[in-house]
Amino acid sequence: MDADRSLFTPISRDVRARAALYLSVVLSYLAAVQNDPLASAMILVFFLASLWSLGFEHRFLRPFFPSVMKIGLIVTGSVVFIAFFLTGLARPAETFANAIARFLFWNATVFVLSRNKTEYDVWTLGIIDVSLFMISGAFVQPSGFVPLFLAALVCALYAFQRLALLRCGSAGEQSPHGPGILLVQATLVVEVAALVFFFFPRQVFPARPGGRGGGAADEAPLGPDVATGADGPRRTGLPSNPNELALESMRGLKNDLRVALKLRATAASDTSRYTPGQPVYLRGATYERYERGKWHANYEPREQSANGEGWVVVRPDVRRPDELHQTILTVPAGGDVVVCVGEPMRFKQPKARYDAGGTFFFADRRDAAVEYNIVGAYVPDAAERDLRSQPPARVSRLTELPPGLERLRAKAREIVARHEGAVNRIIALRQWLHHEAGLAYSMAAFSAPAGADPVEHFVFEKREGYCMHFASALALMLRAVGIPARLVGGYHAKDYDWSKQEYIVRHMDAHAWVEVPFAGHGWLRFDCTPEDTTGASKPPELPAVPTGEDAQKKAEEEARRRKEEEEKKRWDRYLVDYDPGAQASAARSLFGAVGGFLAAVARFVAQPLVALTVGGLALLAFVGYMLLPREHKQRLRQVLGGFRDRSSVDFYRDFLWLASKRGVHKATALTGREFAAIAALKLPADAVALLTDKFYEVRYGGRALSNEDRKHVRRALAAIEQSGSPQSPVPSQTVR
Amino acid sequence: MKPLSRSFRVNVRGGVFVLLTVAVGYAAVHKGSNLLFMIFSVLAAIFVTALALTLLMVRRVEITRVLPDSVHANEPFAYAVRVRNTRRLLPLFCLKVEDHVIWDTRPAPVQPTPVYVPVAAPRERVRATAFATATQRGWAKFASVALTAEFPPGLVTYRVTLPADEQMLVYPREGVLQRRVLNPYLSRVEFLDLVATATTRGSEDFAGVREYRPGDNPRWIHWRLSARVPGRTLLKEFEDTRVRDALIQLETFVPNPADTRRASRLERAISFSTALAEALLAENYLVRFRAFTPDPTEIVLEPRKGAAAELKYALATLHASRTHPVSELVKEADPSRDEVYFLLRIGDEPVALPVPPERVVEIHADDMRSMMYYAS
């Protein structure tokens, strides 16, 4: 149990311990992985490694898998993971979670393959388990989390139990009491964990406003990252100065996994083309003027008050069929720009400011968390087809270009030369930037040479950049051919939590795109950032609609759906949405229930008839007990006392031990009576006789020791103990 | 039984575990995710449960030892440790039992190996074996027994030290005499004795026959028996039943306790005197042993089985004398007695012997190296 001894206890001898441990790792990986195409392959590799470890590894006398190779494989996995992360492939949250899970699982596989596993390896795998479940709890949150977690917990506890036995010199043999101990420990752990979970003083740690589970609006402000300059520390959220956005401003957000906001959206009518779960764009600030790597906005917001229904309405004459009612829950923002999906129509606030360009502002700066309702006009990408005959609305300032940019102008004109109509030209330019120009998406640091425009440098020299570069290039090229365009900063939300029916928007979802005004349609969005990395044009995965089923099948499905909903409600109520408020409520319920029960019992007992009945029964029982024969009394006491010492002959063992200490050894061949005859020569004969008689009565007569018997036995043992000093020079041998 | 001491600590694994739990807790609080809270709760529960069960593991446990009958210094030995779980419901799981041995109020340089008890059912008594080596003679005191529990996953270590006084006598290191070296000494001093008593061969008891070897006295050939066994000549053998006397005097004078050279000589001489006494007893001598232990001690050993036990006990508990030089010891020798006189020296000082030198066998501790080897 010393650290140096236990730390290197090899568990290679115990197949069961390793099997349990490997199973716990697989369970944790299953909980952490989400839509990973490589998951099956990873599990297969792990399974084969486990088979090797459990079945064949021990047949090799020498380590088959030296430590150098183990370290090498771990380093390889780390390098692959880091490269994967740096190249931006792990950027979306889901992919990122999968990447970490894959990396951890790979390391677990390496540990499984390594030989001479020590306690260090067990702990490493245990930490990998916990890490995988943390990923699962933070990002994936599968509905099967609890069963997977409990199963993995039991497996891990079993492995640690076997490990402790190994440490005690038990070389992997069966332990008859192991399952019982494991059951006791697992039950205790679950009970204590439930207590901690439900009564942990969360109010002491006011982590986030709103108190919703699942990492809701807890972490950081939202919005494009705009450096505040000298007016304070750098923030990652709504710009305190939303009038300016540099090309490099969003780069810092792209690695930020924290949740920025949560969005719940409901279509106002059935004809809306909004489909829950499909990626949506949340528009924040809009920028109209470009100057050498920076976009500027010229906001002129006017303060407006809410109407009688509490809404600040900007276009009271327009009610569009594709309105999207949105509830957005965000965190301390530190800014005043309001984000929403589509062009904002109504904003539920007592007061707000609205810019004619289509941006809402809070009435004052919001440093605290906020939950707001807003209605936006949702326009999906598919609207392009309807615009073929529509010219863009003429907004003169949106066609202004800074001086220079000759190459960009020339290239834009060259591209659109073959196309007629504004929409076709927009699409042609977008296609060119998206595919034909060979521009690559990259999060690598970008800096243009002195004197060169960053956008031109991106398009013609650097040829790789991220959403800000692509959107800026498209906006400027559109302007170069006379199409008004502006740049929009916001979020491209892709993670949809189906269990809560809300979008989880992280800072890394920050995005930039281009908007073009169309008369009668408003501002329409065009995104030319490569799709495969941002998923911008990924077609929505529509839920399958059941058709042609008969009534019974539909009824069954409906019943199943309701059952699932009920389960989900319970899941949400007791786990996901459990917060300090629910905690206080649970405590109140618990104490209330206990108090109510006690009060009810007190009220019940306080009734005269009941009190008389209970008292009479108690008196009757007492009298009946007193009238019982002595033996039956003892029997009853034993029954009530849980048959304590009913058939124990430990006192005889103690007697033999004392006798052996005094030089009287019981040979195995001697019966108790024979031994008593010999022992009586050296030890008090009465005591020896009494102990022998009682031993026979209990051991062979099936009679329990009464309290009186116990007293006699104790006296007899004391008499023997005082009969002479133990033989110090020649200590006794065993009495068995 | 009131424990002598208790110690409770979170070990290295526990420290790592607590850090991990705190990290998960921080993530849970920071993230506000209830699933992370669940992981945190389970980790905290594992810690609390391990702590509680660890504390429970050492309660209501009885420890008894079964020490061996005899142990010699420098000789590894095993003894049994019996652990009884007196609890009614809870099994005993992964308990470490360590004995603490003391020699002369100082901890023994080599402590017994710890004993591990993997599992013991409620009310079950299990037996394990501990191994120890007594590094010196004397009373070995098993002063206390320490119970250490680390319930899996072994995050905390709880150690309780219980008083469990028991003594065990360790005999001197067992030496084996080189008879080829001893026999010339005996012959030298016995020659006079034989002449004086004029004992003739044949007055002894008939012990048996053996094959005749060249050099044997033909007088003792068993002609009748040889005639019955063709081709072989058998010789009568006799057992010498005379009882002769021998005196062993052991110098134990170590004036300076820090004189380790002299102390080690004494230890060697003690082993030698035991071996010598046993050899003389086997030769049918009546042995008188005299030494200052540090009190004047005389032990008379008759030639019978187990006679050396008393001497071994005395030598095991012998302490060096600081005040009685060898001259005082030799004064006790009686020149008038007809006995073989062995003087076992550990010092280099000259000494005047009261008996004729030809009757004295003076053996120095340095010479004992070649006359004796250790059994272990």
Side-chain angles (χ1 to χ4, degrees):
Chain A
M1 295 187 189
D2 304 319
D4 56 343
R5 178 191 165 99
S6 60
L7 201 60
F8 301 105
T9 305
I11 65 158
S12 308
R13 288 177 288 175
D14 197 330
V15 173
R16 277 186 292 265
R18 282 181 291 152
L21 199 63
Y22 300 162
L23 183 58
S24 74
V25 174
V26 172
L27 291 173
S28 60
Y29 182 62
L30 287 176
V33 75
Q34 182 188 26
N35 299 329
D36 186 1
L38 288 177
S40 304
M42 296 286 291
I43 291 175
L44 181 65
V45 169
F46 188 86
F47 178 70
L48 293 175
S50 304
L51 275 186
W52 161 262
S53 169
L54 298 172
F56 302 99
E57 183 185 63
H58 60 278
R59 299 187 183 183
F60 293 88
L61 294 176
R62 290 184 177 180
F64 182 79
F65 196 77
S67 299
V68 176
M69 196 182 289
K70 177 175 164 182
I71 294 168
L73 283 174
I74 290 175
V75 170
T76 306
S78 309
V79 169
V80 169
F81 170 71
I82 292 167
F84 192 71
F85 185 77
L86 290 180
T87 52
L89 293 174
R91 208 47 48 78
E94 179 186 317
T95 317
F96 178 75
N98 282 340
I100 298 183
R102 221 178 286 151
F103 168 65
L104 291 171
F105 198 60
W106 167 254
N107 285 343
T109 310
V110 173
F111 275 97
V112 168
L113 279 173
S114 67
R115 192 179 152 84
N116 289 334
K117 294 169 191 65
T118 61
E119 188 171 350
Y120 165 75
D121 295 329
V122 177
W123 277 95
T124 306
L125 289 179
I127 290 173
I128 287 176
D129 272 4
V130 173
S131 307
L132 286 170
F133 274 115
M134 284 183 70
I135 292 168
S136 174
F139 298 111
V140 183
Q141 302 182 347
S143 56
F145 181 88
V146 174
L148 285 171
F149 187 52
L150 290 181
L153 170 71
V154 171
C155 289
L157 287 178
Y158 179 74
F160 277 109
Q161 186 192 78
R162 303 292 307 177
L163 185 67
L165 286 172
L166 273 178
R167 220 183 292 147
C168 289
S170 169
E173 61 261 25
Q174 185 72 37
S175 168
H177 302 286
I181 293 170
L182 180 66
L183 183 67
V184 168
Q185 189 184 12
T187 310
L188 278 175
V189 166
V190 171
E191 293 287 331
V192 176
L195 285 176
V196 173
F197 180 79
F198 285 110
F199 295 104
F200 182 77
R202 301 177 191 206
Q203 291 88 344
V204 178
F205 308 100
R208 72 230 181 273
R212 281 185 49 79
D218 50 349
E219 289 84 7
L222 77 162
D225 177 32
V226 177
T228 56
D231 59 349
R234 185 176 179 273
R235 302 181 65 93
T236 56
L238 275 179
S240 56
N241 173 17
N243 294 321
E244 187 177 291
L245 182 67
L247 282 184
E248 298 300 308
S249 294
M250 276 192 196
R251 194 183 300 282
L253 291 176
K254 287 295 184 179
N255 295 327
D256 195 343
L257 268 173
R258 292 177 296 169
V259 175
L261 58 88
K262 284 196 171 186
L263 163 70
R264 286 181 182 174
T266 313
S269 68
D270 293 339
T271 58
S272 169
R273 281 174 290 189
Y274 165 71
T275 306
Q278 72 182 52
V280 293
Y281 289 81
L282 286 102
R283 186 164 68 171
T286 57
Y287 302 91
E288 296 175 351
R289 190 162 52 85
Y290 175 79
E291 273 182 12
R292 300 195 66 81
K294 277 187 183 176
W295 284 90
H296 301 271
N298 298 313
Y299 289 124
E300 294 175 354
R302 293 183 180 176
E303 190 169 296
Q304 299 191 31
S305 300
N307 59 16
E309 298 172 350
W311 292 91
V312 175
V313 183
V314 292
R315 296 173 66 181
D317 55 327
V318 177
R319 283 278 174 175
R320 293 169 57 154
D322 51 3
E323 283 182 355
L324 204 59
H325 294 257
Q326 304 162 41
T327 303
I328 295 178
L329 176 70
T330 181
V331 290
D336 51 2
V337 175
V338 175
V339 298
C340 78
V341 178
E343 188 178 349
M345 309 290 288
R346 299 190 297 283
F347 183 33
K348 196 161 192 177
Q349 288 284 310
K351 271 186 183 179
R353 289 178 293 141
Y354 181 72
D355 178 71
T359 304
F360 261 120
F361 296 86
F362 289 106
D364 47 10
R365 181 189 170 94
R366 293 301 173 102
D367 286 321
V370 62
E371 181 175 295
Y372 57 87
N373 294 312
I374 193 165
V375 176
Y378 175 72
V379 180
D381 292 337
E384 287 171 2
R385 187 176 298 170
D386 306 330
L387 301 174
R388 297 282 172 176
S389 58
Q390 300 286 337
R394 282 291 160 194
V395 184
S396 61
R397 67 176 185 276
L398 296 185
T399 54
E400 290 175 1
L401 276 177
L405 300 175
E406 296 306 329
R407 284 193 292 170
L408 203 65
R409 292 170 198 260
K411 191 68 190 177
R413 283 195 288 270
E414 178 193 331
I415 292 165
V416 302
R418 302 186 300 274
H419 300 280
E420 292 295 330
V423 172
N424 288 339
R425 288 180 169 182
I426 296 170
I427 293 171
L429 284 171
R430 190 179 72 171
Q431 285 295 100
W432 186 79
L433 285 167
H434 195 210
H435 296 301
E436 296 160 12
L439 303 176
Y441 188 93
S442 168
M443 288 302 298
F446 185 96
S447 63
D453 184 83
V455 175
E456 268 196 344
H457 181 69
F458 156 67
V459 174
F460 297 109
E461 277 89 30
K462 184 77 173 174
R463 303 187 66 75
E464 59 179 29
Y466 75 121
C467 59
M468 279 296 293
H469 299 105
F470 282 95
S472 301
L474 179 60
L476 296 179
M477 290 176 89
L478 285 172
R479 290 185 180 190
V481 294
I483 298 174
R486 70 182 184 186
L487 186 129
V488 181
Y491 292 101
H492 187 206
K494 298 174 284 294
D495 289 354
Y496 189 73
D497 187 343
W498 285 98
S499 64
K500 287 176 277 187
Q501 304 220 333
E502 62 189 18
Y503 287 91
I504 298 168
V505 184
R506 304 174 192 280
H507 291 296
M508 60 182 289
D509 294 330
H511 195 46
W513 60 92
V514 173
E515 282 187 349
V516 177
F518 279 84
H521 294 276
W523 293 94
L524 298 186
R525 180 184 64 251
F526 294 92
D527 188 359
C528 62
T529 309
E531 299 163 1
D532 53 344
T533 53
T534 64
S537 62
K538 186 179 175 184
E541 294 177 3
L542 299 176
V545 179
T547 54
E549 288 84 357
D550 55 20
Q552 187 181 356
K553 197 172 178 183
K554 280 185 178 174
E556 286 175 359
E557 283 186 356
E558 182 66 17
R560 193 172 63 245
R561 191 182 62 77
R562 284 182 184 170
K563 192 178 173 186
E564 285 174 357
E565 279 183 1
E566 287 298 318
E567 285 176 359
K568 185 186 166 304
K569 279 181 185 172
R570 280 198 294 275
W571 169 262
D572 285 348
R573 181 177 175 189
Y574 294 112
L575 199 70
V576 177
D577 289 343
Y578 191 78
D579 57 9
Q583 188 180 44
S585 171
R588 276 197 301 274
S589 303
L590 180 67
F591 292 123
V594 172
F597 175 73
L598 293 177
V601 170
R603 279 196 303 275
F604 180 71
V605 174
Q607 295 174 21
L609 187 62
V610 174
L612 278 176
T613 309
V614 171
L617 286 175
L619 188 65
L620 197 65
F622 177 72
V623 172
Y625 175 76
M626 294 305 289
L627 292 176
L628 273 179
R630 188 177 173 185
E631 287 182 1
H632 288 157
K633 268 189 204 169
Q634 288 173 357
R635 177 76 179 160
L636 186 63
R637 279 203 298 271
Q638 283 168 2
V639 169
L640 294 176
F643 293 92
R644 190 167 47 199
D645 291 338
R646 182 165 177 265
S647 59
S648 170
V649 288
D650 284 350
F651 69 90
Y652 193 71
R653 292 201 187 111
D654 294 338
F655 160 58
L656 294 180
W657 167 247
L658 288 172
S660 68
K661 292 290 286 181
R662 282 149 185 80
V664 185
H665 305 281
K666 181 180 180 301
T668 313
L670 289 178
T671 65
R673 302 281 185 209
E674 289 168 347
F675 176 67
I678 298 168
L681 298 174
K682 286 192 175 180
L683 302 172
D686 295 344
V688 172
L690 183 137
L691 290 168
T692 308
D693 290 345
K694 293 301 171 196
F695 170 69
Y696 272 83
E697 284 175 14
V698 175
R699 178 70 181 81
Y700 303 113
R703 179 177 169 276
L705 282 182
S706 65
N707 289 338
E708 199 68 23
D709 290 338
R710 284 202 200 95
K711 282 182 194 167
H712 292 312
V713 164
R714 276 199 293 271
R715 281 182 203 148
L717 288 173
I720 291 172
E721 196 164 12
Q722 292 163 4
S723 63
S725 59
Q727 292 187 344
S728 304
V730 186
S732 64
Q733 292 179 329
T734 178
V735 294
R736 288 195 177 179
Chain B
M1 192 180 296
K2 192 177 178 185
L4 294 174
S5 66
R6 298 171 195 266
S7 78
F8 174 81
R9 67 184 172 88
V10 178
N11 54 34
V12 177
R13 281 161 288 167
V16 173
F17 191 86
V18 168
L19 283 179
L20 181 68
T21 307
V22 169
V24 175
Y26 175 76
V29 167
H30 180 70
K31 193 84 184 163
S33 167
N34 278 326
L35 295 184
L36 290 184
F37 258 117
M38 177 185 277
I39 300 172
F40 166 72
S41 304
V42 167
L43 292 180
I46 288 174
F47 187 83
V48 170
T49 310
L51 189 150
L53 289 173
T54 300
L55 294 177
L56 283 176
M57 277 304 111
V58 296
R59 295 190 63 189
R60 302 187 64 185
V61 175
E62 287 180 4
I63 308 288
T64 47
R65 300 188 197 91
V66 185
L67 297 171
D69 290 338
S70 64
V71 172
H72 290 88
N74 267 43
E75 182 183 83
F77 66 96
Y79 64 95
V81 175
R82 298 192 307 177
V83 180
R84 185 177 167 213
N85 176 18
T86 63
R87 293 188 290 261
R88 289 176 55 196
L89 295 173
L90 191 64
L92 189 151
F93 197 75
C94 294
L95 190 73
K96 184 166 109 172
V97 182
E98 288 172 291
D99 261 323
H100 184 62
V101 181
I102 289 175
W103 256 289
D104 290 339
T105 70
R106 285 173 305 181
V110 181
Q111 294 289 343
T113 57
V115 169
Y116 291 88
V117 181
V119 180
R123 301 211 170 263
E124 190 187 9
R125 192 195 300 248
V126 295
R127 179 181 169 136
T129 305
F131 298 94
T133 302
T135 52
Q136 63 186 84
R137 63 187 172 78
W139 286 107
K141 185 180 176 188
F142 286 72
S144 60
V145 59
L147 308 180
T148 309
E150 283 181 357
F151 197 85
L155 307 176
V156 294
T157 306
Y158 185 48
R159 184 186 172 94
V160 172
T161 307
L162 299 168
D165 280 348
E166 208 161 1
Q167 284 190 325
M168 183 183 71
L169 188 64
V170 180
Y171 294 125
R173 197 173 177 188
E174 198 172 16
V176 179
L177 222 50
Q178 301 270 19
R179 296 302 299 269
R180 284 186 303 173
V181 181
L182 178 67
N183 284 344
Y185 286 101
L186 290 174
S187 304
R188 181 162 64 80
V189 292
E190 278 193 337
F191 176 74
L192 301 169
D193 183 39
L194 288 172
V195 170
T197 53
T199 307
T200 55
R201 197 73 188 239
S203 62
E204 304 136 331
D205 289 345
F206 175 72
V209 293
R210 67 168 171 82
E211 195 93 12
Y212 174 81
R213 290 194 289 264
D216 287 337
N217 190 344
R219 181 182 171 187
W220 304 113
I221 293 175
H222 201 307
W223 295 111
R224 192 183 301 166
L225 205 57
S226 300
R228 291 182 186 171
V229 185
R232 300 178 68 179
T233 307
L234 300 174
L235 194 77
K236 293 179 195 170
E237 275 203 321
F238 297 92
E239 189 178 343
D240 191 355
T241 58
R242 290 172 307 147
V243 176
R244 287 161 292 181
D245 293 341
L247 170 67
I248 301 175
Q249 284 195 325
L250 172 65
E251 180 188 1
T252 60
F253 181 57
V254 182
N256 180 12
D259 188 353
T260 54
R261 185 159 173 260
R262 199 165 175 122
S264 66
R265 280 179 176 178
L266 175 62
E267 293 302 319
R268 196 181 308 130
I270 286 172
S271 295
F272 186 83
S273 57
T274 314
L276 178 62
E278 285 183 331
L280 292 172
L281 288 169
E283 294 285 337
N284 220 15
Y285 278 81
L286 188 145
V287 179
R288 283 197 305 138
F289 175 84
R290 300 175 69 109
F292 290 104
T293 66
D295 302 322
T297 303
E298 178 171 319
I299 299 170
V300 179
L301 307 171
E302 294 185 354
R304 57 178 170 78
K305 192 178 179 185
E310 192 181 352
L311 174 67
K312 286 166 83 174
Y313 179 81
L315 290 174
T317 55
L318 181 145
H319 289 275
S321 166
R322 294 188 191 177
T323 52
H324 302 287
V326 68
S327 54
E328 286 187 31
L329 184 69
V330 298
K331 269 189 228 165
E332 303 290 329
D334 184 1
S336 63
R337 294 186 70 152
D338 183 20
E339 57 188 5
V340 181
Y341 179 27
F342 288 92
L343 177 61
L344 308 183
R345 294 292 311 277
I346 61 171
D348 301 322
E349 311 85 10
V351 60
L353 297 172
V355 291
E358 64 271 16
R359 296 194 63 86
V360 177
V361 179
E362 185 178 349
I363 305 174
H364 196 271
D366 291 340
D367 300 327
M368 291 172 194
R369 280 206 190 97
S370 59
M371 300 169 70
M372 176 191 70
Y373 62 90
Y374 289 113
S376 59

